[in-house]
Amino acid sequence: MTGPRAVDSDWKPVLSRSVVLRHDRVRDTDLLVLPERVVVLRGSAGSVLRLCDGANDVGAIVDTLAAQHPGAPVADEVPVFLGRLRAEGWLT
């Protein structure tokens, strides 16, 4: 069995229609609100998803995050993360 794969750099991810990104001020954390389910996001996942607006392709998202977080392995990790969310049906 293989692990999650990275996505094409020209894909322009956007949250699926049934998914909403919210910030919980009480817990100071980002959430994905789905039908009958809430997913608590950890680390910089919310920052990544805020860039998933259908206008930015994966390459632009990686470039933006690499500029914000020099030295972080965003080129390796972000495409795989987005691929996981796409496989869940949370991104289109």
Side-chain angles (χ1 to χ4, degrees), residues 4-81:
R5 287 182 259 167
V7 295
D8 293 329
S9 64
D10 60 346
W11 171 48
K12 295 181 178 181
V14 64
L15 291 174
S16 297
R17 289 180 58 150
S18 62
V19 178
V20 178
L21 177 63
R22 296 269 188 244
H23 184 76
D24 181 339
R25 290 185 210 166
V26 174
R27 295 180 186 95
D28 192 30
T29 190
D30 292 312
L31 309 169
L32 279 183
V33 181
L34 308 140
E36 301 181 24
R37 185 174 177 192
V38 174
V39 177
V40 177
L41 300 174
R42 296 182 183 188
S44 59
S47 298
V48 174
L49 291 177
R50 281 187 190 80
L51 297 172
C52 295
D53 58 4
N56 294 310
D57 62 27
V58 174
I61 293 169
V62 167
D63 291 346
T64 299
L65 293 168
Q68 292 174 355
H69 307 283
V74 295
D76 295 327
E77 294 178 0
V78 169
V80 173
F81 171 70

